[in-house]
Amino acid sequence: MLESVGLDDHTEETYRHLVSRSPASATELADLLGTGERRVRRALDALVSLGLAYPEAGGTGRFVAVDPQVG
């Protein structure tokens, strides 16, 4: 499924971590991935634009993954 939407490896890995740990912040995901928060934020922006994630309500700074079977 993810190959068909054209995610790069880092964005796909970010998505997979978000699916298993939703909701999560960019900081939390960066720690899990061992990468910079800015890079994770770019991946989250891409996921949001593709409808694969959305910001948690209430301005928490956390993101929720859309179920890959539904998205």
Side-chain angles (χ1 to χ4, degrees):
M1 179 231 158
L2 297 177
E3 298 80 21
S4 65
V5 295
L7 298 181
D8 62 55
D9 290 343
H10 174 71
T11 303
E12 182 175 340
E13 186 177 12
T14 301
Y15 178 69
R16 291 183 187 280
H17 278 283
L18 186 59
V19 165
S20 67
R21 292 174 174 81
S22 279
S25 70
T27 302
E28 293 166 337
L29 291 168
D31 288 345
L32 289 167
L33 293 163
T35 192
E37 188 175 333
R38 182 178 294 169
R39 188 172 186 207
V40 170
R41 287 191 183 280
R42 284 193 302 266
L44 288 168
D45 287 345
L47 294 170
V48 169
S49 72
L50 291 167
L52 294 172
Y54 60 91
E56 186 177 50
T60 64
R62 294 163 65 93
F63 291 81
V64 178
V66 174
D67 183 328
Q69 301 302 314
V70 175

